[in-house]
Amino acid sequence: MNCGPEGTGGRWSPWWGRIACSWAAAFAGLHFYWAVGGVVGLRISAGPLATERPLWFVVAGLWGVGALCLLGALLGWLLARPGLRGGPALPVR
């Protein structure tokens, strides 16, 4: 299956989609860990908000970003599937 740019002879490979899925899922897990009270690495990422933990930060900044990371993981998983057609192909396109 030749899906690379025209004239390059590139081939479709599921590895980039799998790597993107894994990376996004790891970040989602980290944000959910912080949202339930974990502290390892949060001070480096959030600075002074890490000690205060206002409600808006936990809801939007941790749960919300974690949910967006899960959407990114889903997109990476869809990109790793060969011959994607139908409904799931629309968000990937």
Side-chain angles (χ1 to χ4, degrees):
M1 177 176 198
N2 200 4
C3 291
E6 206 170 303
T8 63
R11 290 192 169 273
W12 174 83
S13 173
W15 287 108
W16 292 113
R18 290 176 183 163
I19 290 169
C21 178
S22 301
W23 192 259
F27 271 91
L30 188 58
H31 279 83
F32 293 144
Y33 163 74
W34 289 335
V36 296
V39 294
V40 176
L42 182 60
R43 180 178 283 167
I44 295 167
S45 178
L49 285 175
T51 55
E52 297 171 15
R53 281 189 189 250
L55 181 63
W56 67 266
F57 173 70
V58 174
V59 172
L62 298 177
W63 287 108
V65 171
L68 289 175
C69 288
L70 282 181
L71 286 174
L74 175 64
L75 178 62
W77 179 73
L78 289 172
L79 287 170
R81 296 181 61 193
L84 194 61
R85 298 183 195 283
L90 292 176
V92 175
R93 289 184 191 152

